[in-house]
Amino acid sequence: MVNIAAVTAAPSPDLLTPDNCAVLFVDHQPQMFFGTGSGDRTAIVNSTVGLAKAAKVFDVPVVLSTVAAESFSGPLMPQLADVFPEQKIIDRSTMNAWEDVNFVEAVKATGREKLVIAGLWTEVCVVLPALSAMAQGYEVYVVTDASGGVSPQAHEHAVQRMIQAGAVPVTWVQVLLELQRDWARTGTYAAVGDVVKAHGGAYGLGMVYAQAVIGAHAAG
């Protein structure tokens, strides 16, 4: 039952903010992309870079991790590494990143309890750390369009498994706009617009059109 007297214009504590979350990128590597068959790989690359730029705009802590980079999977995809040129990349032997001490320590160092996770493959390198983090009290948000599995079924079943365990499925644009949440926040307005125009597809073109026709301050 709603207590009308207590209702205020305030956001839910469940919402992501620049101060309450960290973004984890797990195994966006060439060999992992080669085996991805759940969706268009170019779209996954675009979504991953869009998510990375969203985190950078809002100064959200980021953890970058690879698995067997030198012996099997190759380096972190350059489009992602280029967004964070000074960021240390944690390479692992474990498929479950949450079984790697350096990875977990990096997550702990962020001080955040909401973890936004994207990676390849969804059914292994995303679901395993997601379940492990939730078992230790973290809230997990899975960026489904910046993740991919070896088949549509593998990706979808992994997402459903995480949902059943308490994870929240999101998309990269949803994360970006949830972090902004008010077009009157001028400090990040222009940078968010740039990310949308670069990676938001038709939405980005719509912003280009609106700003050209309506004016420079046309909202998203």
Side-chain angles (χ1 to χ4, degrees):
M1 180 177 292
V2 177
N3 178 0
I4 298 298
V7 173
T8 61
S12 165
D14 291 332
L15 296 181
L16 298 170
T17 74
D19 300 319
N20 70 10
C21 68
V23 182
L24 317 181
F25 293 93
V26 184
D27 305 348
H28 290 91
Q29 300 165 261
Q31 183 63 37
M32 308 307 292
F33 271 106
F34 296 159
T36 297
S38 60
D40 180 73
R41 285 172 287 190
T42 301
I44 296 172
V45 169
N46 179 69
S47 297
T48 301
V49 178
L51 177 64
K53 290 182 178 180
K56 188 164 188 177
V57 166
F58 291 96
D59 199 25
V60 173
V62 165
V63 177
L64 305 176
S65 188
T66 56
V67 63
E70 294 186 3
S71 61
F72 180 71
S73 300
L76 189 73
M77 70 180 206
Q79 300 95 319
L80 175 55
D82 287 348
V83 179
F84 306 104
E86 305 302 321
Q87 181 89 15
K88 178 181 177 181
I89 301 169
I90 300 168
D91 192 48
R92 321 176 317 276
S93 64
T94 62
M95 285 183 279
N96 180 6
W98 210 264
E99 294 179 47
D100 183 271
V101 172
N102 292 328
F103 181 88
V104 174
E105 288 301 315
V107 174
K108 290 167 61 178
T110 69
R112 307 298 173 84
E113 296 184 1
K114 295 181 186 289
L115 304 181
V116 179
I117 301 180
L120 305 175
W121 298 317
T122 320
E123 67 271 25
V124 182
C125 301
V126 177
V127 72
L128 300 183
L131 295 177
S132 301
M134 285 188 286
Q136 296 188 24
Y138 284 92
E139 298 175 50
V140 170
Y141 298 74
V142 182
V143 189
T144 58
D145 57 351
S147 304
V150 298
S151 68
Q153 293 88 347
H155 175 75
E156 182 58 30
H157 292 172
V159 170
Q160 289 302 318
R161 183 180 180 187
M162 289 183 279
I163 291 172
Q164 290 173 15
V168 180
V170 294
T171 64
W172 83 265
V173 170
Q174 181 180 348
V175 172
L176 174 71
L177 298 184
E178 195 162 323
L179 294 174
Q180 175 70 21
R181 222 168 52 243
D182 187 343
W183 293 117
R185 293 175 178 167
T186 57
T188 50
Y189 177 94
V192 166
D194 289 341
V195 175
V196 170
K197 285 182 279 189
H199 300 282
Y203 174 32
L205 289 175
M207 286 194 71
V208 171
Y209 175 81
Q211 291 178 348
V213 175
I214 302 172
H217 300 290

